[in-house]
Amino acid sequence: SIFTILILTLLVLLTVATFLWNLLVLATILRVKAFHRVPHNLVASTAVSDVLVAALVMPLSLVKELSAGRRWRLGRELCLVWVCFDVLCCTASIWNVTAIALDRYWSITRHLEYTLLTRRRISNVMIALTWALSAAISLAPLFGWGETYSPEQERCQVSQEPSYTIVSTGGAFYLPLCVVLFVYWKIYKAAKFRMGGRRRNAVMPLPEAAQVKEASHEPQMVFTARHAAIAFQTDGETWREQKEKKAALMVGILIGVFVLCWIPFFVTELISPLCSCNIPPIWKSIFLWLGYSNSFFNPLIYTAFNKNYNNAFKNLFVKQR
């Protein structure tokens, strides 16, 4: 039908756009030396996981969608590879988003202690733990923890073993979900506290009579210095407050999109094996592709809040021409 063709065209465009956009982010980070530092290494790790989702996971998922009854006709070996990369890359993408949120949280709330050296070390540790945890969750079924392929039913899916379902969904989604929600709550509290403190500590202009009295001894110097001090502390937000506000907004949007994209899939993924519920395949496909779309939105969000990326993109294309 025309509707089916439109849906498949949309999925193909989503796959291609996800691959190209994340590849552009990676190329920019590699070419621009200013991006060879924190937090761009976390962005690069996220882009790597999202590129792999678009290159290795989404195309085979599309092939499965095109087959009659959504059956798997590509054999057991390719099924194991597809499921393994599916869990590995999606889990890594989710934990990389969590690492970015944590990095922004520490840079806002502990900017004096969170030095460049400390930030680099912690970010490298978070990246290593992200990929190690993702690999452990994805490789577990290969060592006998559940079955992913059923030749009789021509079915290929993530292991439905209840114990594995609880561990994998908890480690891949529910744990990072708790972390990012806690982080954003703390960022919101810190921003609210600072705004309240800034209002309480604001410098009020001196009465006109007092200004004239102070100015009587050294009119030009004293009046100018006092006027400058008053203007500096009462005019709007400081540069750091604006930066923190922008970072908090970026983290909020990143977390919001992450939750909206993945929570339908992981709720059904957890409930289905435990209650033996039969969820219609069409809804499983919708929830799965909604989760994949998070890999498309990630680079859009964290580059939209950084003008350096926009300038780097322009320079990249200009140099190529």
Side-chain angles (χ1 to χ4, degrees):
S1 65
I2 296 177
F3 179 74
T4 304
I5 294 174
L6 289 175
I7 293 298
L8 291 176
T9 303
L10 179 63
L11 296 182
V12 171
L13 290 176
L14 176 64
T15 303
V16 174
T18 302
F19 178 78
L20 292 178
W21 189 246
N22 282 283
L23 196 63
L24 178 61
V25 171
L26 276 176
T28 303
I29 293 174
L30 290 174
R31 287 174 63 93
V32 180
K33 291 184 179 180
F35 290 160
H36 296 176
R37 54 184 175 82
V38 185
H40 302 289
N41 58 347
L42 295 171
V43 174
S45 180
T46 308
V48 167
S49 60
D50 291 336
V51 160
L52 292 176
V53 169
L56 303 177
V57 179
M58 295 170 76
L60 289 176
S61 296
L62 191 59
V63 171
K64 184 181 177 182
E65 295 294 330
L66 289 170
S67 66
R70 294 181 175 82
R71 295 181 179 180
W72 184 266
R73 305 177 188 275
L74 301 176
R76 177 184 177 84
E77 289 74 16
L78 195 55
C79 169
L80 296 177
V81 171
W82 174 64
V83 171
C84 183
F85 275 110
D86 188 357
V87 177
L88 171 68
C89 300
C90 292
T91 304
S93 178
I94 291 171
W95 273 108
N96 278 315
V97 170
T98 307
I100 290 175
L102 282 169
D103 176 73
R104 295 297 194 274
Y105 164 63
W106 287 322
S107 65
I108 290 174
T109 59
R110 302 180 182 180
H111 59 275
L112 296 178
E113 306 167 18
Y114 202 49
T115 61
L116 288 176
L117 181 60
T118 303
R119 196 177 186 186
R120 186 180 297 112
R121 288 175 178 173
I122 292 178
S123 65
N124 290 335
V125 170
M126 288 194 295
I127 291 172
L129 289 177
T130 289
W131 288 97
L133 177 62
S134 302
I137 294 174
S138 64
L139 294 175
L142 298 181
F143 295 95
W145 200 355
E147 184 57 57
T148 59
Y149 180 68
S150 174
E152 296 81 11
Q153 300 177 355
E154 293 185 321
R155 185 179 61 191
C156 180
Q157 61 182 356
V158 178
S159 173
Q160 299 296 294
E161 180 71 27
S163 58
Y164 177 76
T165 298
I166 294 172
V167 172
S168 62
T169 56
F173 178 74
Y174 291 106
L175 180 58
L177 175 65
C178 293
V179 172
V180 295
L181 291 179
F182 174 77
V183 162
Y184 192 69
W185 175 66
K186 295 291 285 185
I187 290 176
Y188 174 77
K189 281 188 64 178
K192 191 175 180 181
F193 175 78
R194 289 197 181 189
M195 289 297 293
R198 191 167 65 86
R199 292 192 189 98
R200 289 192 300 270
N201 298 326
V203 177
M204 300 300 293
L206 289 173
E208 187 175 351
Q211 291 181 7
V212 174
K213 186 177 179 180
E214 289 286 340
S216 61
H217 300 288
E218 293 177 297
Q220 186 65 31
M221 183 182 297
V222 176
F223 180 79
T224 303
R226 189 171 296 281
H227 178 72
I230 292 170
F232 177 78
Q233 296 192 36
T234 57
D235 280 349
E237 298 175 330
T238 65
W239 172 82
R240 179 161 191 86
E241 287 171 338
Q242 291 177 352
K243 185 178 178 182
E244 291 176 357
K245 188 176 180 181
K246 192 173 182 180
L249 179 61
M250 188 277 287
V251 171
I253 295 175
L254 193 69
I255 292 172
V257 172
F258 153 70
V259 172
L260 291 175
C261 287
W262 279 116
I263 201 166
F265 171 79
F266 278 101
V267 168
T268 56
E269 193 71 12
L270 178 62
I271 292 175
S272 183
L274 297 181
C275 69
S276 300
C277 304
N278 290 322
I279 299 172
I282 182 65
W283 285 107
K284 285 187 175 182
S285 296
I286 292 173
F287 295 155
L288 179 62
W289 281 91
L290 182 63
Y292 289 158
S293 69
N294 187 234
S295 295
F296 169 76
F297 290 117
N298 282 338
L300 291 179
I301 295 170
Y302 51 64
T303 57
F305 284 84
N306 193 321
K307 292 181 180 180
N308 294 330
Y309 276 104
N310 297 326
N311 296 331
F313 292 158
K314 293 176 183 178
N315 294 333
L316 186 64
F317 287 114
V318 168
K319 287 180 181 180
Q320 286 180 351
R321 290 177 184 176

